[in-house]
Amino acid sequence: MSLLRRLEEKKGDFALPAAQGQPQPAAAETSAKPVVTDALSKAKERIRNLTIASLNDVKDPTDQLIREKLEELIQTEGSEIPRGERGRIVDEILNDITGYGPLESVLADPAITEVMVNGPQNIFLEANGRLRPADFVFRNQEHLMTIIDRIVSSVGRHVDEASPMVDARLRDGSRVNVILPPLSLVGPVLTIRKFSKIPFTAGKLVEFGSISPKMVAFLEACVRGRLNIIVSGGTGSGKTTLLNVLSSFIPEDERIITIEDAAEIQLNQEHVISLESRPANTEGRGQVSIRDLVRNALRMRPDRIIVGEVRSAEALDMLQAMNTGHDGSLTTTHANTPRDTIARVETMVMMAGMELPLLAIRSQIASAVDVIVQQSRLRDGSRRVTNITEITGMEGDVVSMQDIFVFETQGQLDEHGRFRGRYKATGIRPQCLEKIRNNGVAIHEDWFT
């Protein structure tokens, strides 16, 4: 067995690379792609191949042994490599042999939240809500495919031309999506959404300006008071982060069941059962959907059901759960406004194939859902809670709702390039306060003034 194959089998985990002990580049560093001469490129490839060949007979080479061999070969075979660059080149080749190649540094950088690889030469990073080009490239498509195989195989998945898409949760919580040619016309596409090791708290969201203290206090009362809440927003707007924060308000003595496609909810309560859906295998069998898990969760004596995201027929089962004694349920969905959220849920319920009248669906929504929290990602890259909206019932055949809190933007940028704006209570006293009080949770009237 070759050295590379043994190292890949040994890796077995997508742990963020901290073993090097060297500072990682900051997110704001230059975005220009590095200029690499042909001579330097050929020298790196030659030294890499010589290192692998020289260690093929070693059963379990350590990183330190590989590094020592690299340093030795750079001294004897790397005359084209400038002395000041040799340390960096050793790190690059070591990462390429034992880890995730040029991705190592960005995976270790906590400021970078998303990595988007659009083929071997076109790579973008997201930091602080903004996209920028990466300062590295892959050698070629084969190099990128090697790294992709290493990533997906570490979690027991496989991707190739016969099965060109994979969506996986890695062991550190990061989410990975891969799509290959012929489905992708730009080459292999790899998207990694990194997951914070330390969950965001309500205090952090207030510090970032994503929400106001009064809004946090009200939402905490809603969760403790067992209101049913939908967090809505666009892709990358921070719905799951906010859902994590809301879930942290659930009392310790309740049995919580979380249901997700890829487990992202991080709860510190003691009594938590995490369920994860399963895609069909290569033969098209063995699929377990979110809907199946929601139905099964109802038989597990839950106090709270948290669905990471409803996007299909499981919306009907979620509404049924909310309407049959499972108060305090939480979920997220994709929508641009609170009113759009109602329309989205209606459409998803229709996907269940029950052929329910629209008025019956809207009555179910009005009865089941108490509060919609709208999360938005603004053009300046900031993520904010723009509406906290209460559903008050039905007026004729329309679901009625009222804003309790809103974020008002002035359309101007401050000195940091962020939109000026303020969080404002509309002055409306929510109708749900009685239900919150009946569940033994204190209410402060100054929240709404």
Side-chain angles (χ1 to χ4, degrees):
M1 187 182 294
S2 71
L3 170 66
L4 274 181
R5 177 57 57 197
R6 293 203 307 273
L7 287 169
E8 284 170 15
E9 289 183 357
K10 182 182 172 185
K11 187 87 177 175
D13 196 359
F14 194 85
L16 295 184
Q20 303 292 339
Q22 296 181 355
Q24 302 298 334
E29 283 185 9
T30 177
S31 60
K33 288 185 173 61
V35 178
V36 180
T37 64
D38 284 344
L40 183 58
S41 212
K42 288 176 182 176
K44 286 167 61 178
E45 185 67 16
R46 186 177 69 252
I47 290 167
R48 176 181 177 276
N49 293 337
L50 286 170
T51 303
I52 292 170
S54 67
L55 294 173
N56 259 337
D57 294 332
V58 181
K59 186 177 181 182
D60 282 313
T62 62
D63 283 5
Q64 184 59 35
L65 179 61
I66 298 170
R67 177 180 287 276
E68 289 171 0
K69 179 56 70 173
L70 278 170
E71 290 171 347
E72 176 189 325
L73 287 170
I74 279 190
Q75 292 293 334
T76 58
E77 304 288 338
S79 57
E80 306 97 322
I81 301 175
R83 290 193 175 276
E85 292 285 300
R86 291 185 178 183
R88 180 179 65 82
I89 299 297
V90 167
D91 289 339
E92 283 184 12
I93 300 175
L94 181 63
N95 289 339
D96 207 34
I97 293 174
T98 66
Y100 302 106
L103 296 178
E104 288 277 332
S105 61
V106 295
L107 292 173
D109 187 346
I112 294 172
T113 54
E114 198 136 7
V115 182
M116 289 148 276
V117 181
N118 310 330
Q121 304 293 317
N122 202 16
I123 303 159
F124 292 86
L125 309 173
E126 182 188 88
N128 301 318
R130 292 182 178 274
L131 288 180
R132 64 175 177 85
D135 57 357
F136 61 86
V137 296
F138 291 87
R139 292 193 303 275
N140 48 41
Q141 188 159 305
E142 187 178 324
H143 183 206
L144 174 55
M145 277 305 305
T146 300
I147 300 302
I148 287 174
D149 284 337
R150 207 172 285 174
I151 289 172
V152 299
S153 64
S154 71
V155 288
R157 303 294 291 275
H158 178 69
V159 63
D160 57 20
E161 284 190 9
S163 178
M165 291 191 298
V166 67
D167 195 14
R169 174 185 60 83
L170 302 174
R171 290 172 187 168
D172 73 335
S174 299
R175 216 163 69 192
V176 167
N177 179 271
V178 176
I179 185 164
L180 303 182
L183 302 185
S184 165
L185 303 182
V186 298
V189 176
L190 169 67
T191 309
I192 301 174
R193 177 169 291 180
K194 290 169 60 182
F195 205 62
S196 174
K197 294 284 188 184
I198 304 172
F200 284 108
T201 62
K204 278 291 183 185
L205 294 187
V206 172
E207 184 183 322
F208 295 151
S210 297
I211 194 169
S212 74
K214 287 184 178 180
M215 293 161 76
V216 168
F218 174 65
L219 288 177
E220 181 175 0
C222 289
V223 173
R224 293 184 179 277
R226 303 188 67 85
L227 299 192
N228 296 317
I229 300 174
I230 295 179
V231 179
S232 64
T235 301
S237 61
K239 299 186 298 298
T240 304
T241 298
L242 183 58
L243 184 65
N244 262 320
V245 170
L246 295 181
S247 302
S248 71
F249 298 142
I250 298 174
E252 288 282 348
D253 59 351
E254 296 190 19
R255 178 175 168 88
I256 306 166
I257 298 179
T258 69
I259 301 169
E260 300 173 87
D261 271 333
E264 295 179 291
I265 298 173
Q266 295 174 299
L267 295 181
N268 293 320
Q269 289 91 335
E270 186 176 356
H271 202 162
V272 178
I273 298 95
S274 298
L275 307 179
E276 191 172 76
S277 64
R278 186 176 69 187
N281 60 21
T282 52
E283 298 172 351
R285 290 185 296 212
Q287 179 180 14
V288 180
S289 68
I290 293 287
R291 189 174 191 190
D292 296 329
L293 294 176
V294 172
R295 288 171 174 171
N296 189 77
L298 298 178
R299 306 183 185 105
M300 297 173 66
R301 197 257 173 221
D303 288 310
R304 308 270 184 155
I305 297 175
I306 303 173
V307 180
E309 181 182 340
V310 290
R311 58 166 69 91
S312 188
E314 64 269 8
L316 176 59
D317 301 284
M318 190 70 190
L319 290 179
Q320 294 292 332
M322 290 175 171
N323 270 322
T324 54
H326 297 90
D327 289 340
S329 296
L330 304 170
T331 189
T332 76
T333 192
H334 281 82
N336 294 324
T337 65
R339 178 63 64 184
D340 285 348
T341 302
I342 301 297
R344 278 272 295 154
V345 174
E346 288 174 8
T347 303
M348 290 186 287
V349 170
M350 291 178 184
M351 293 167 70
M354 302 295 288
E355 298 186 6
L356 297 171
L358 189 58
L359 184 59
I361 295 173
R362 289 179 178 170
S363 297
Q364 285 275 309
I365 295 170
S367 173
V369 182
D370 297 301
V371 173
I372 296 173
V373 184
Q374 182 68 37
Q375 179 90 13
S376 299
R377 176 177 169 178
L378 305 183
R379 284 187 294 113
D380 62 355
S382 62
R383 295 168 171 87
R384 296 180 186 270
V385 175
T386 52
N387 299 80
I388 297 179
T389 304
E390 180 189 26
I391 293 180
T392 56
M394 295 284 292
E395 291 184 5
D397 59 353
V398 177
V399 177
S400 61
M401 54 178 61
Q402 58 188 12
D403 284 334
I404 308 302
F405 295 93
V406 296
F407 175 72
E408 293 183 339
T409 179
Q410 300 170 1
Q412 300 173 336
L413 300 179
D414 61 17
E415 62 274 13
H416 303 296
R418 301 182 64 172
F419 281 114
R420 297 181 187 275
R422 64 175 182 140
Y423 293 102
K424 174 187 171 185
T426 60
I428 296 173
R429 193 174 182 276
Q431 295 181 16
C432 60
L433 295 186
E434 195 64 32
K435 181 178 178 181
I436 294 174
R437 281 204 180 98
N438 287 342
N439 280 300
V441 180
I443 297 294
H444 298 274
E445 296 294 338
D446 64 339
W447 292 345
F448 314 109
T449 58

Coordinates of all heavy atoms in Angstrom, one line a residue, residues 131-195:
L131 N -17.8 38.2 0.6 CA -17.0 37.3 -0.2 C -15.7 38.0 -0.7 O -15.7 39.2 -1.0 CB -17.8 36.8 -1.4 CG -19.0 35.9 -1.1 CD1 -19.7 35.5 -2.4 CD2 -18.5 34.6 -0.4
R132 N -14.7 37.2 -0.8 CA -13.4 37.7 -1.4 C -12.7 36.5 -2.1 O -12.9 35.3 -1.7 CB -12.5 38.3 -0.4 CG -12.0 37.3 0.7 CD -11.0 38.0 1.6 NE -10.5 37.2 2.7 CZ -9.5 36.3 2.6 NH1 -8.9 36.2 1.4 NH2 -9.1 35.6 3.6
P133 N -11.9 36.7 -3.1 CA -11.2 35.7 -3.8 C -10.1 35.1 -2.8 O -9.5 35.9 -2.0 CB -10.5 36.3 -5.0 CG -11.3 37.6 -5.2 CD -11.8 38.0 -3.9
A134 N -9.9 33.8 -2.9 CA -8.8 33.2 -2.1 C -7.4 33.5 -2.6 O -7.3 33.9 -3.8 CB -9.0 31.7 -2.0
D135 N -6.4 33.4 -1.8 CA -5.0 33.7 -2.2 C -4.3 32.4 -2.5 O -3.1 32.3 -2.4 CB -4.3 34.5 -1.2 CG -4.3 33.8 0.2 OD1 -4.9 32.8 0.3 OD2 -3.6 34.4 1.1
F136 N -5.0 31.4 -3.0 CA -4.4 30.1 -3.3 C -5.2 29.4 -4.4 O -6.4 29.8 -4.7 CB -4.3 29.2 -2.1 CG -5.6 28.8 -1.5 CD1 -6.4 27.7 -2.0 CD2 -6.2 29.5 -0.4 CE1 -7.6 27.4 -1.5 CE2 -7.4 29.2 0.1 CZ -8.1 28.1 -0.4
V137 N -4.6 28.5 -5.1 CA -5.3 27.7 -6.1 C -4.9 26.2 -6.0 O -3.9 25.9 -5.3 CB -5.0 28.2 -7.6 CG1 -5.5 29.6 -7.8 CG2 -3.5 28.1 -7.8
F138 N -5.6 25.3 -6.6 CA -5.2 23.9 -6.7 C -4.3 23.8 -8.0 O -4.5 24.5 -9.0 CB -6.4 23.0 -6.8 CG -7.1 22.9 -5.5 CD1 -8.1 23.9 -5.2 CD2 -6.8 22.0 -4.5 CE1 -8.8 23.8 -4.0 CE2 -7.5 21.9 -3.3 CZ -8.5 22.8 -3.1
R139 N -3.4 22.8 -8.0 CA -2.6 22.6 -9.2 C -3.4 22.3 -10.4 O -3.1 22.9 -11.5 CB -1.6 21.4 -8.9 CG -0.6 21.7 -7.8 CD 0.5 20.7 -7.9 NE 0.0 19.3 -7.7 CZ -0.2 18.7 -6.5 NH1 0.0 19.4 -5.4 NH2 -0.7 17.5 -6.5
N140 N -4.3 21.4 -10.3 CA -5.1 21.1 -11.5 C -6.4 20.4 -10.9 O -6.6 20.2 -9.7 CB -4.4 20.1 -12.4 CG -3.7 19.0 -11.7 OD1 -4.2 18.4 -10.7 ND2 -2.4 18.7 -12.0
Q141 N -7.2 19.9 -11.8 CA -8.5 19.2 -11.4 C -8.2 17.9 -10.7 O -8.9 17.6 -9.7 CB -9.3 18.9 -12.7 CG -10.7 18.5 -12.4 CD -11.7 18.7 -13.5 OE1 -11.8 19.8 -14.0 NE2 -12.3 17.6 -14.0
E142 N -7.2 17.2 -11.1 CA -6.9 16.0 -10.4 C -6.5 16.2 -8.9 O -6.9 15.5 -8.0 CB -5.7 15.3 -11.1 CG -5.4 13.9 -10.6 CD -4.3 13.2 -11.4 OE1 -4.2 13.4 -12.6 OE2 -3.5 12.5 -10.7
H143 N -5.7 17.3 -8.7 CA -5.3 17.7 -7.3 C -6.6 18.0 -6.5 O -6.7 17.5 -5.3 CB -4.4 18.9 -7.4 CG -3.9 19.4 -6.0 ND1 -3.5 20.7 -5.8 CD2 -3.7 18.7 -4.9 CE1 -3.1 20.8 -4.5 NE2 -3.2 19.6 -4.0
L144 N -7.5 18.7 -7.0 CA -8.7 19.1 -6.3 C -9.6 17.8 -6.0 O -10.1 17.7 -4.9 CB -9.6 20.1 -7.2 CG -11.0 20.4 -6.6 CD1 -10.9 20.9 -5.2 CD2 -11.6 21.5 -7.6
M145 N -9.6 16.9 -7.0 CA -10.4 15.7 -6.8 C -9.8 14.8 -5.7 O -10.5 14.2 -4.9 CB -10.5 14.9 -8.1 CG -11.6 15.3 -9.0 SD -13.2 15.3 -8.3 CE -13.4 13.7 -7.6
T146 N -8.5 14.8 -5.6 CA -7.8 14.1 -4.5 C -8.2 14.6 -3.1 O -8.5 13.8 -2.2 CB -6.3 14.2 -4.6 OG1 -5.9 13.6 -5.9 CG2 -5.5 13.4 -3.5
I147 N -8.3 15.9 -3.0 CA -8.6 16.6 -1.7 C -10.1 16.3 -1.4 O -10.5 16.0 -0.3 CB -8.4 18.1 -1.7 CG1 -6.9 18.4 -2.0 CG2 -8.8 18.7 -0.5 CD1 -6.0 17.7 -1.0
I148 N -11.0 16.4 -2.5 CA -12.4 16.1 -2.3 C -12.6 14.6 -1.8 O -13.4 14.4 -0.9 CB -13.2 16.3 -3.6 CG1 -13.3 17.8 -3.8 CG2 -14.6 15.7 -3.5 CD1 -13.9 18.2 -5.2
D149 N -11.9 13.7 -2.5 CA -12.0 12.3 -2.0 C -11.6 12.1 -0.6 O -12.2 11.3 0.2 CB -11.1 11.4 -2.9 CG -11.8 11.2 -4.3 OD1 -13.0 11.3 -4.4 OD2 -11.1 10.9 -5.3
R150 N -10.5 12.8 -0.2 CA -10.0 12.7 1.2 C -11.0 13.2 2.2 O -11.2 12.6 3.2 CB -8.7 13.5 1.3 CG -7.8 13.0 2.3 CD -6.4 13.7 2.2 NE -5.6 13.2 1.1 CZ -4.5 13.8 0.7 NH1 -4.0 14.8 1.4 NH2 -3.8 13.3 -0.3
I151 N -11.7 14.3 1.8 CA -12.7 14.9 2.7 C -13.9 14.0 2.8 O -14.4 13.7 3.9 CB -13.2 16.3 2.2 CG1 -12.0 17.3 2.3 CG2 -14.4 16.8 2.9 CD1 -12.3 18.6 1.7
V152 N -14.5 13.5 1.7 CA -15.8 12.8 1.8 C -15.6 11.4 2.3 O -16.4 10.8 3.0 CB -16.5 12.8 0.5 CG1 -16.9 14.1 0.0 CG2 -15.7 12.0 -0.6
S153 N -14.4 10.8 2.0 CA -14.1 9.4 2.5 C -13.9 9.4 4.1 O -14.1 8.4 4.7 CB -12.9 8.8 1.8 OG -11.7 9.6 2.1
S154 N -13.5 10.6 4.6 CA -13.3 10.7 6.1 C -14.6 10.5 6.8 O -14.6 10.2 8.0 CB -12.6 12.0 6.5 OG -13.5 13.1 6.3
V155 N -15.8 10.7 6.2 CA -17.1 10.5 6.8 C -17.8 9.4 6.2 O -19.1 9.3 6.3 CB -17.9 11.8 6.8 CG1 -17.3 12.8 7.8 CG2 -18.0 12.4 5.4
G156 N -17.1 8.5 5.5 CA -17.7 7.3 5.0 C -18.6 7.5 3.8 O -19.5 6.7 3.5
R157 N -18.4 8.6 3.0 CA -19.2 8.8 1.8 C -18.3 8.7 0.6 O -17.1 8.6 0.7 CB -19.8 10.3 1.9 CG -20.6 10.5 3.1 CD -21.9 9.7 3.1 NE -22.8 10.1 2.1 CZ -23.7 11.1 2.2 NH1 -23.8 11.8 3.3 NH2 -24.5 11.4 1.2
H158 N -19.0 8.6 -0.6 CA -18.2 8.4 -1.8 C -18.8 9.3 -2.9 O -20.0 9.5 -2.9 CB -18.3 6.9 -2.2 CG -17.7 6.7 -3.5 ND1 -16.3 6.7 -3.7 CD2 -18.2 6.3 -4.8 CE1 -16.0 6.4 -4.9 NE2 -17.1 6.2 -5.6
V159 N -18.0 9.8 -3.8 CA -18.5 10.7 -4.9 C -17.6 10.4 -6.1 O -16.4 10.3 -6.0 CB -18.4 12.2 -4.5 CG1 -17.0 12.6 -4.2 CG2 -19.1 13.1 -5.5
D160 N -18.3 10.2 -7.2 CA -17.6 10.0 -8.5 C -18.6 10.3 -9.6 O -19.7 10.9 -9.3 CB -17.1 8.6 -8.7 CG -18.2 7.5 -8.5 OD1 -19.4 7.9 -8.7 OD2 -17.9 6.3 -8.2
E161 N -18.3 10.0 -10.9 CA -19.2 10.4 -12.0 C -20.5 9.7 -11.9 O -21.5 10.2 -12.3 CB -18.5 10.1 -13.3 CG -17.4 11.1 -13.7 CD -17.0 10.9 -15.1 OE1 -17.6 10.1 -15.9 OE2 -16.0 11.6 -15.5
A162 N -20.5 8.5 -11.4 CA -21.8 7.7 -11.3 C -22.7 8.3 -10.1 O -23.9 8.2 -10.2 CB -21.5 6.2 -11.0
S163 N -22.0 8.8 -9.1 CA -22.8 9.5 -8.0 C -22.2 10.8 -7.7 O -21.4 11.0 -6.8 CB -22.6 8.6 -6.8 OG -23.3 9.1 -5.7
P164 N -22.5 11.8 -8.6 CA -21.7 13.1 -8.7 C -22.1 14.1 -7.6 O -21.6 15.3 -7.7 CB -22.0 13.6 -10.1 CG -23.4 13.0 -10.4 CD -23.5 11.8 -9.7
M165 N -23.0 13.8 -6.7 CA -23.4 14.8 -5.7 C -23.3 14.2 -4.3 O -23.7 13.0 -4.1 CB -24.8 15.3 -5.9 CG -25.0 16.2 -7.1 SD -26.7 17.0 -7.1 CE -27.7 15.6 -7.1
V166 N -22.8 14.9 -3.3 CA -22.8 14.5 -2.0 C -23.0 15.7 -1.0 O -22.5 16.7 -1.3 CB -21.5 13.7 -1.6 CG1 -20.3 14.6 -1.6 CG2 -21.7 13.0 -0.3
D167 N -23.8 15.5 0.0 CA -24.1 16.5 1.0 C -23.8 15.8 2.3 O -24.5 14.8 2.7 CB -25.5 17.0 0.9 CG -25.7 18.3 1.7 OD1 -24.7 18.9 2.0 OD2 -26.9 18.7 1.9
A168 N -22.8 16.3 3.1 CA -22.4 15.5 4.3 C -22.2 16.5 5.4 O -21.8 17.7 5.2 CB -21.2 14.7 4.0
R169 N -22.3 16.0 6.6 CA -21.9 16.7 7.8 C -20.6 16.1 8.3 O -20.6 14.9 8.6 CB -23.0 16.6 8.9 CG -22.6 17.2 10.3 CD -23.7 16.9 11.3 NE -23.9 15.5 11.5 CZ -23.2 14.7 12.3 NH1 -22.1 15.3 13.0 NH2 -23.5 13.5 12.5
L170 N -19.6 16.9 8.5 CA -18.3 16.4 9.0 C -18.3 16.3 10.5 O -19.2 16.9 11.2 CB -17.2 17.3 8.5 CG -17.2 17.4 6.9 CD1 -16.2 18.4 6.5 CD2 -17.0 16.0 6.3
R171 N -17.3 15.7 11.0 CA -17.3 15.4 12.5 C -17.1 16.6 13.4 O -17.4 16.6 14.5 CB -16.3 14.3 12.8 CG -16.7 13.0 12.2 CD -15.6 11.9 12.3 NE -16.0 10.7 11.6 CZ -15.2 9.7 11.4 NH1 -14.0 9.8 11.7 NH2 -15.6 8.7 10.7
D172 N -16.6 17.7 12.8 CA -16.5 18.9 13.6 C -17.7 19.8 13.4 O -17.8 20.9 13.9 CB -15.3 19.7 13.1 CG -15.4 20.4 11.8 OD1 -16.2 19.9 11.0 OD2 -14.7 21.4 11.5
G173 N -18.8 19.2 12.7 CA -20.0 20.0 12.5 C -20.1 20.7 11.2 O -21.2 21.1 10.8
S174 N -19.0 20.9 10.5 CA -19.0 21.6 9.2 C -19.8 20.9 8.2 O -19.9 19.6 8.2 CB -17.6 21.8 8.7 OG -16.8 22.6 9.6
R175 N -20.5 21.6 7.3 CA -21.3 21.0 6.3 C -20.6 21.1 5.0 O -20.0 22.2 4.6 CB -22.6 21.8 6.2 CG -23.8 20.9 5.9 CD -25.1 21.6 6.2 NE -25.4 22.7 5.3 CZ -26.3 23.6 5.5 NH1 -27.0 23.6 6.6 NH2 -26.5 24.6 4.6
V176 N -20.6 20.0 4.2 CA -19.8 19.9 3.0 C -20.8 19.5 1.9 O -21.6 18.6 2.0 CB -18.7 18.9 3.0 CG1 -18.1 18.6 1.6 CG2 -17.5 19.5 3.9
N177 N -20.7 20.2 0.7 CA -21.5 19.8 -0.5 C -20.5 19.7 -1.6 O -19.6 20.6 -1.8 CB -22.6 20.9 -0.8 CG -23.3 20.5 -2.0 OD1 -23.0 20.9 -3.1 ND2 -24.4 19.8 -1.8
V178 N -20.6 18.7 -2.4 CA -19.8 18.4 -3.6 C -20.6 18.1 -4.7 O -21.6 17.4 -4.6 CB -18.8 17.3 -3.3 CG1 -18.0 17.0 -4.6 CG2 -17.8 17.6 -2.2
I179 N -20.3 18.7 -5.9 CA -21.0 18.4 -7.1 C -20.0 18.4 -8.2 O -19.1 19.3 -8.3 CB -22.2 19.4 -7.5 CG1 -22.9 18.9 -8.7 CG2 -21.7 20.8 -7.6 CD1 -24.3 19.5 -8.9
L180 N -20.0 17.3 -9.0 CA -18.9 17.0 -10.0 C -19.4 17.1 -11.4 O -20.7 17.1 -11.7 CB -18.3 15.6 -9.8 CG -17.8 15.3 -8.4 CD1 -17.2 13.9 -8.5 CD2 -16.7 16.3 -8.0
P181 N -18.5 17.3 -12.4 CA -18.9 17.1 -13.8 C -19.5 15.7 -14.0 O -19.1 14.8 -13.3 CB -17.6 17.3 -14.6 CG -16.7 18.1 -13.6 CD -17.1 17.6 -12.3
P182 N -20.4 15.5 -14.9 CA -20.9 16.4 -15.9 C -22.0 17.4 -15.4 O -22.5 18.2 -16.2 CB -21.5 15.5 -17.0 CG -22.0 14.3 -16.2 CD -21.0 14.1 -15.1
L183 N -22.5 17.2 -14.1 CA -23.5 18.1 -13.6 C -23.0 19.5 -13.5 O -23.7 20.5 -13.7 CB -24.0 17.6 -12.3 CG -24.6 16.2 -12.2 CD1 -25.1 15.9 -10.9 CD2 -25.7 16.0 -13.3
S184 N -21.7 19.7 -13.1 CA -21.1 21.0 -13.0 C -20.2 21.2 -14.2 O -19.4 20.4 -14.6 CB -20.2 21.0 -11.8 OG -19.3 22.1 -11.8
L185 N -20.4 22.4 -14.8 CA -19.7 22.7 -16.1 C -18.4 23.5 -15.8 O -17.7 23.8 -16.8 CB -20.6 23.6 -17.0 CG -22.0 23.0 -17.3 CD1 -22.8 23.9 -18.3 CD2 -21.8 21.6 -18.0
V186 N -18.1 23.7 -14.6 CA -16.9 24.5 -14.3 C -15.8 23.6 -13.6 O -14.8 24.1 -13.1 CB -17.2 25.7 -13.4 CG1 -18.1 26.7 -14.1 CG2 -17.8 25.3 -12.0
G187 N -16.1 22.3 -13.5 CA -15.2 21.4 -12.8 C -15.8 21.0 -11.5 O -16.9 21.4 -11.1
P188 N -15.0 20.3 -10.7 CA -15.5 19.9 -9.3 C -15.8 21.2 -8.5 O -15.0 22.1 -8.4 CB -14.4 19.1 -8.7 CG -13.6 18.7 -9.9 CD -13.7 19.7 -10.9
V189 N -17.0 21.2 -7.8 CA -17.4 22.3 -7.0 C -17.5 21.8 -5.6 O -18.3 20.9 -5.3 CB -18.7 23.0 -7.5 CG1 -19.1 24.0 -6.5 CG2 -18.5 23.5 -8.9
L190 N -16.8 22.4 -4.7 CA -16.8 22.0 -3.2 C -17.2 23.2 -2.4 O -16.6 24.3 -2.6 CB -15.3 21.6 -2.8 CG -15.0 21.4 -1.4 CD1 -15.8 20.2 -0.8 CD2 -13.5 21.2 -1.1
T191 N -18.2 23.1 -1.6 CA -18.6 24.1 -0.7 C -18.6 23.7 0.8 O -19.2 22.6 1.1 CB -20.1 24.6 -1.0 OG1 -20.2 24.8 -2.4 CG2 -20.5 25.8 -0.2
I192 N -17.9 24.4 1.6 CA -17.7 24.0 3.0 C -18.3 25.1 3.9 O -17.8 26.3 3.8 CB -16.3 23.7 3.4 CG1 -15.7 22.6 2.6 CG2 -16.2 23.4 4.9 CD1 -14.2 22.4 2.8
R193 N -19.3 24.9 4.6 CA -19.9 25.8 5.6 C -19.3 25.4 6.9 O -19.8 24.4 7.5 CB -21.4 25.9 5.6 CG -22.0 26.8 6.6 CD -23.4 27.0 6.4 NE -23.7 27.8 5.2 CZ -24.9 28.1 4.8 NH1 -26.0 27.8 5.5 NH2 -25.1 28.8 3.7
K194 N -18.4 26.2 7.4 CA -17.8 25.8 8.7 C -18.7 26.1 9.9 O -19.6 27.0 9.8 CB -16.5 26.7 8.9 CG -15.4 26.3 7.9 CD -14.2 27.3 8.0 CE -13.6 27.4 9.3 NZ -12.5 28.4 9.4
F195 N -18.5 25.3 10.9 CA -19.4 25.3 12.0 C -18.6 25.8 13.2 O -17.5 25.2 13.5 CB -20.0 23.9 12.3 CG -21.3 24.0 13.0 CD1 -22.4 24.6 12.4 CD2 -21.4 23.4 14.2 CE1 -23.6 24.6 13.1 CE2 -22.6 23.4 14.9 CZ -23.7 24.0 14.3

